[in-house]
């Protein structure tokens, strides 16, 4: 297998003819651009992430994050190794390559994985490639996973096992939160609980209104009333 990760001296003409792109294919690949940016933000600057479109293998790179590790930019060609993996994945059920190691032109050691992107006809139309620079000092890599000394306040995440548990746990947390807030009068607590749940999007879940109404010992019509009031900017009214 070729060891060069970043250059392709030629492009197989048959491959170019094999992928007649449609607008829907371009839309699918376009939707992956935010994935590139999100992964780069999560993993850190030591990881290069490249989105390849197979519409034109001579200019396949359509989105790159942290391209300084390989010197590539948007418009760079597909690699010889990617071509090999493309052949392997075109007719295979697996869409993810095994992790592999290689070296860039500069000599840095990279650990990589390639993910196939398929269209509605299950044709491979793109590749998402993640390349971690292993020559970056380990302390620099770890620094991306350590909160700063003064981290921004982030909301707690509820990793529930089901949507029912999600509603229950979010509801109980919100009740505790409002019950401890001395600025909310007893008469307004139920209304404020419903408001907080509304802002958290909990009522987008089916049957959440019934569950909240039962727990707060109010009618579901009252919950609907509060939601309408919030939407209309009218926060007056009493619990009933």
């Amino acid at each position: 297998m070729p060891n060069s990760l970043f250059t392709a001296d030629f492009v197989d003409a048959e491959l170019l003819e094999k992928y007649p792109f449609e607008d829907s294919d371009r839309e699918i690949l376009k939707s992956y651009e935010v994935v590139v940016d999100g992964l780069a933000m999560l993993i850190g600057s030591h990881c290069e992430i490249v989105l390849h479109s197979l519409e034109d293998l001579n200019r396949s790179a359509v989105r790159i994050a942290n391209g300084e590790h390989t010197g590539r930019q948007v418009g760079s060609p597909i690699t010889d190794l990617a071509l090999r993996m493309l052949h392997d994945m075109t007719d295979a059920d697996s869409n993810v390559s095994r992790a592999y190691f290689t070296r860039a032109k500069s000599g840095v050691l990279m650990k990589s994985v390639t993910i196939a992107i398929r269209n509605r006809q299950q044709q491979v139309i793109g590749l998402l490639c993640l390349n971690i620079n292993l020559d970056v000092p380990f302390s620099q890599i770890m620094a991306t996973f350590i909160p700063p000394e003064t981290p921004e306040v982030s909301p707690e995440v509820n990793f529930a096992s089901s949507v029912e548990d999600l509603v229950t746990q979010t509801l109980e947390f919100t009740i505790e939160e409002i019950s401890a807030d001395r600025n909310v009068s007893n008469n307004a607590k139920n209304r404020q609980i419903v408001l907080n749940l509304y802002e958290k999007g909990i009522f987008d879940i089916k049957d959440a209104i019934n569950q909240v109404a039962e727990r707060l010992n109010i009618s579901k019509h009252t919950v609907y009333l509060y939601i309408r009031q919030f939407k209309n900017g009218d926060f007056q009214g009493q619990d009933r």
Side-chain angles (χ1 to χ4, degrees), residues 7-186:
T7 60
D9 295 331
F10 64 91
V11 171
D12 192 332
E14 292 183 0
L15 278 175
L16 287 172
E17 297 174 358
K18 196 173 182 179
Y19 299 97
F21 263 51
E22 299 179 356
D23 288 341
S24 59
D25 298 325
R26 299 183 186 94
E27 291 173 1
I28 291 172
L29 289 173
K30 183 71 176 178
S31 70
Y32 275 83
E33 292 185 3
V34 294
V35 176
V36 172
D37 299 338
L39 287 174
M41 185 173 294
L42 174 66
I43 300 174
S45 60
H46 57 280
C47 182
E48 178 196 63
I49 304 169
V50 186
L51 175 63
H52 289 285
S53 167
L54 302 185
E55 183 172 17
D56 184 350
L57 302 185
N58 291 297
R59 294 181 294 275
S60 68
V62 294
R63 190 78 165 191
I64 297 182
N66 304 323
E68 63 274 8
H69 294 287
T70 64
R72 285 183 294 180
Q73 57 188 356
V74 171
S76 293
I78 199 167
T79 68
D80 49 355
L81 184 53
L83 283 175
R84 171 68 177 270
M85 292 190 170
L86 176 58
H87 277 292
D88 293 341
M89 289 190 292
T90 298
D91 300 317
D93 293 332
S94 175
N95 293 315
V96 182
S97 74
R98 68 182 186 280
Y100 54 92
F101 296 88
T102 189
R103 289 193 180 275
K105 282 183 176 180
S106 61
V108 299
L109 180 64
M110 312 286 285
K111 182 177 183 180
S112 308
V113 69
T114 297
I115 303 168
I117 301 172
R118 297 179 185 270
N119 60 13
R120 295 180 180 87
Q121 291 74 40
Q122 295 304 302
Q123 295 173 308
V124 180
I125 59 172
L127 298 172
L128 183 63
C129 302
L130 288 77
N131 307 304
I132 295 179
N133 186 345
L134 298 181
D135 284 352
V136 170
F138 186 70
S139 58
Q140 182 177 327
I141 296 176
M142 289 302 301
T144 64
F145 298 100
I146 299 175
E149 293 182 2
T150 56
E152 297 180 1
V153 177
S154 301
E156 293 187 7
V157 179
N158 187 351
F159 295 103
S161 58
S162 68
V163 290
E164 291 80 9
D165 288 343
L166 174 63
V167 175
T168 299
Q169 294 174 22
T170 304
L171 174 57
E172 294 302 325
F173 174 81
T174 304
I175 290 174
E176 292 179 8
E177 184 180 43
I178 299 304
S179 297
D181 190 344
R182 296 182 178 180
N183 294 321
V184 181
S185 66
N186 289 333

